[in-house]
């Protein structure tokens, strides 16, 4: 009887861990949905429900892992809690976030498992984008895959639900193409720098193609940067490295010339460097920065307006963090990334950290749900990944 109970308990633990891995891996999508009756984000419920699960790992890990390694994160989130200014929702989310991240540091997530989920999800999302593109160019259908009725009210004016004239930009089940690219770029890094074995170039090509088909300038730029990183830092025989770089550069130039002959790709590039339908991508993401933080000074610049403050127009992650939490909050968050990169100077950790910081300057990556996802991915690899060799360029 005791054996049966033990097996049942063990099976329940495995199921709980699997659910946890899936939920964290899909958090950038799940937090968009609202819980009926309560009318709050599914992400909020999940992070709070997972607190006991994370605390089990935190308590069991106190004597097994370095006690002071999480200090940068603890200081950062204690500061954020202090700046919530009595907002119960932000307070609970902040507490739930730091407990979940601490649990991840103590082993609640295994990098092999969560990376496999993210890679599979990215391939499915890329297939959806291929299908949307085919439906549009073959049948003239602008296919929407995100059920508006199930999405939180604050997201119902997002790009995916609008019927704007002009170029079609598929995004699978994300709110906009850039969100798709932000998620899938991390899957691209994962398949190029696996925990074990060689890079899966076929999967990388599919994910990268999906990012290109969304016409997200941000996605194409980060994808190109990741591929350049792979060429520079992947292990090869020294005599082949220089030839690979030269050949890769020539292939990239030729590919760009060919792609510029395709209307949707040409239009996507024009959105970045000029204007399409009266819109320029760079200007659209940066034009409010000076108005939001240009007039901040003294204590306001140092501490920000508080976590409850919402600027009425779009701000990317960096200016939004300064606006809400000031220079202190921004520096504390950057220190978290510095710790991760110093803790494990390996391709996956360095490339994901730098990619996030690049996106942080142009994308709105400031919500607690997003932080659990991105920070969690990197922390999991720091503590449970196998490759601990630091990178170097070999020409």
């Amino acid at each position: 009887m005791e054996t049966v109970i033990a097996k049942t308990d063990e099976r329940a633990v495995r199921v709980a861990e699997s659910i946890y891995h899936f939920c964290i891996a899909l958090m950038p999508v799940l937090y968009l949905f609202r819980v009926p009756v309560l009318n709050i984000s599914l992400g909020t419920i999940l992070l709070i429900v997972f607190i006991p699960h994370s605390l089990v790992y935190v308590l069991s890990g106190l004597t097994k892992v370095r006690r002071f390694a999480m200090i940068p994160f603890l200081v950062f989130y204690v500061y954020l809690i202090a700046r919530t200014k009595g907002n119960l929702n932000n307070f609970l989310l902040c507490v739930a976030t730091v407990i979940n991240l601490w649990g991840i540091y103590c082993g609640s997530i295994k990098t092999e498992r969560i990376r496999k989920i993210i890679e599979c999800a990215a391939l499915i999302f890329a297939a959806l984008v291929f299908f949307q593109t085919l439906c549009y160019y073959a049948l003239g259908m602008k296919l929407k895959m995100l059920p508006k009725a199930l999405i939180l009210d604050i997201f119902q004016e997002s790009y995916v639900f609008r019927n704007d004239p002009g170029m079609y930009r598929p995004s699978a089940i994300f709110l906009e193409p850039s969100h798709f690219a932000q998620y899938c770029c991390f899957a691209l890094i994962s398949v190029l720098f696996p925990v074990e074995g060689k890079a899966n170039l076929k999967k990388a090509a599919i994910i990268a193609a999906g990012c290109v088909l969304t016409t997200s300038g941000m996605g194409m730029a980060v994808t190109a940067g990741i591929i350049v990183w792979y060429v520079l830092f992947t292990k090869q025989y020294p005599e082949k490295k220089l030839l690979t770089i030269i050949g890769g550069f020539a292939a990239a130039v030729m590919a760009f010339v060919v792609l510029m002959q395709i209307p949707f790709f040409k239009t996507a590039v024009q959105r970045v460097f000029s204007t399409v339908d009266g819109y320029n991508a760079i200007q659209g993401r940066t034009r409010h920065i000076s108005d939001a933080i240009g007039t901040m000074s003294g204590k306001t610049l140092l501490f920000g307006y508080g976590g409850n403050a919402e600027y009425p127009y779009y701000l990317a992650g960096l200016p939004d963090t300064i606006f809400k939490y000031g220079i202190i909050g921004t520096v504390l968050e950057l220190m978290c990334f510095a710790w991760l990169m110093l803790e494990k100077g390996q391709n996956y950790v360095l490339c994901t950290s730098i990619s996030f910081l690049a996106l942080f300057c142009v994308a709105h990556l400031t919500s607690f749900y997003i932080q659990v996802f991105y920070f969690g991915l990197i922390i999991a690899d720091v503590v449970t990944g196998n490759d601990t060799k630091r990178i170097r360029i070999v020409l």
Side-chain angles (χ1 to χ4, degrees):
M1 185 65 176
E2 292 180 358
T3 303
V4 174
I5 293 174
K7 288 183 178 180
T8 302
D9 290 342
E10 184 179 343
R11 192 158 43 245
V13 169
R14 287 201 300 268
V15 170
E17 289 181 347
S18 297
I19 292 173
Y20 188 63
H21 278 76
F22 270 98
C23 289
I24 298 300
L26 298 175
M27 187 59 70
V29 173
L30 296 178
Y31 88 95
L32 303 175
F33 292 87
R34 63 180 170 191
V35 178
V37 182
L38 297 177
N39 198 31
I40 60 176
S41 170
L42 176 59
T44 299
I45 297 297
L46 291 174
L47 291 183
I48 293 174
V49 167
F50 289 145
I51 286 178
H53 176 77
S54 298
L55 281 175
V56 170
Y57 282 89
V58 171
L59 295 175
S60 64
L62 289 177
T63 58
K64 299 177 183 178
V65 297
R66 293 189 297 118
R67 296 181 182 181
F68 303 108
M70 281 294 290
I71 281 183
F73 288 92
L74 294 175
V75 172
F76 174 54
Y77 283 103
V78 166
Y79 176 78
L80 296 193
I81 289 171
R83 299 297 294 149
T84 57
K85 293 188 172 182
N87 185 296
L88 182 60
N89 185 59
N90 281 350
F91 174 81
L92 290 175
L93 272 176
C94 197
V95 171
T97 297
V98 70
I99 292 175
N100 276 276
L101 291 178
W102 200 349
I104 292 171
Y105 176 75
C106 294
S108 65
I109 279 180
K110 303 299 184 289
T111 189
E112 300 94 339
R113 294 180 66 179
I114 195 166
R115 284 172 62 172
K116 185 177 293 185
I117 295 169
I118 292 167
E119 291 169 16
C120 291
L123 291 171
I124 293 171
F125 296 150
L128 294 179
V129 166
F130 294 148
F131 184 63
Q132 286 179 305
T133 303
L134 179 64
C135 286
Y136 177 71
Y137 287 102
L139 304 174
M141 295 173 52
K142 291 186 176 182
L143 191 61
K144 297 180 181 180
M145 296 182 171
L146 199 60
K148 186 176 181 179
L150 302 179
I151 302 303
L152 285 168
D153 293 341
I154 59 173
F155 300 128
Q156 298 214 359
E157 298 300 320
S158 299
Y159 171 82
V160 70
F161 299 123
R162 299 198 299 263
N163 293 311
D164 295 339
M167 65 180 297
Y168 177 59
R169 307 177 66 222
S171 59
I173 61 172
F174 291 86
L175 291 176
E176 59 178 81
S178 63
H179 294 183
F180 171 96
Q182 291 158 25
Y183 184 93
C184 290
C185 280
F186 283 76
L188 177 61
I189 297 171
S190 183
V191 298
L192 288 177
F193 302 108
V195 178
E196 293 179 342
K198 296 181 179 180
N200 191 319
L201 298 183
K202 290 182 179 180
K203 288 183 179 180
I206 294 171
I207 295 170
C211 291
V212 171
L213 286 176
T214 64
T215 72
S216 168
M218 177 197 306
M220 287 188 277
V222 177
T223 298
I226 292 168
I227 294 172
V228 169
W229 185 287
Y230 172 76
V231 172
L232 288 177
F233 297 113
T234 190
K235 295 177 182 179
Q236 295 183 25
Y237 293 108
E239 61 270 18
K240 293 183 178 181
K241 173 67 75 170
L242 185 58
L243 291 175
T244 300
I245 293 174
I246 295 173
F249 178 77
V253 171
M254 292 177 61
F256 182 79
V257 172
V258 172
L259 287 171
M260 284 297 288
Q261 309 308 309
I262 303 175
F264 82 85
F265 184 84
K266 182 177 181 179
T267 305
V269 173
Q270 289 175 337
R271 289 181 73 253
V272 178
F273 297 103
S274 60
T275 301
V276 175
D277 297 328
Y279 179 81
N280 173 265
I282 295 177
Q283 184 181 8
R285 294 182 177 276
T286 60
R287 61 184 173 184
H288 297 297
I289 292 178
S290 59
D291 294 333
I293 65 176
T295 58
M296 297 173 68
S297 61
K299 288 184 177 180
T300 302
L301 180 60
L302 197 61
F303 298 103
Y305 291 107
N308 305 330
E310 293 292 342
Y311 192 71
Y313 302 104
Y314 179 88
L315 287 178
L318 180 59
D320 187 57
T321 302
I322 296 174
F323 181 77
K324 291 180 177 179
Y325 303 110
I327 297 297
I328 291 179
T330 305
V331 170
L332 290 176
E333 185 164 5
L334 294 178
M335 285 177 62
C336 292
F337 279 102
W339 173 80
L340 291 169
M341 289 187 282
L342 290 172
E343 187 75 4
K344 190 176 183 184
Q346 169 260 353
N347 269 313
Y348 179 79
V349 171
L350 288 177
C351 195
T352 48
S353 297
I354 292 172
S355 296
F356 180 92
L357 291 174
L359 291 169
F360 189 59
C361 296
V362 293
H364 189 76
L365 301 180
T366 55
S367 74
F368 293 114
Y369 317 105
I370 297 299
Q371 289 174 5
V372 170
F373 174 73
Y374 289 113
F375 275 140
L377 280 184
I378 304 172
I379 291 172
D381 197 84
V382 167
V383 297
T384 64
N386 294 334
D387 184 1
T388 58
K389 295 180 180 180
R390 292 182 175 270
I391 66 169
R392 61 192 181 96
I393 300 179
V394 181
L395 295 178

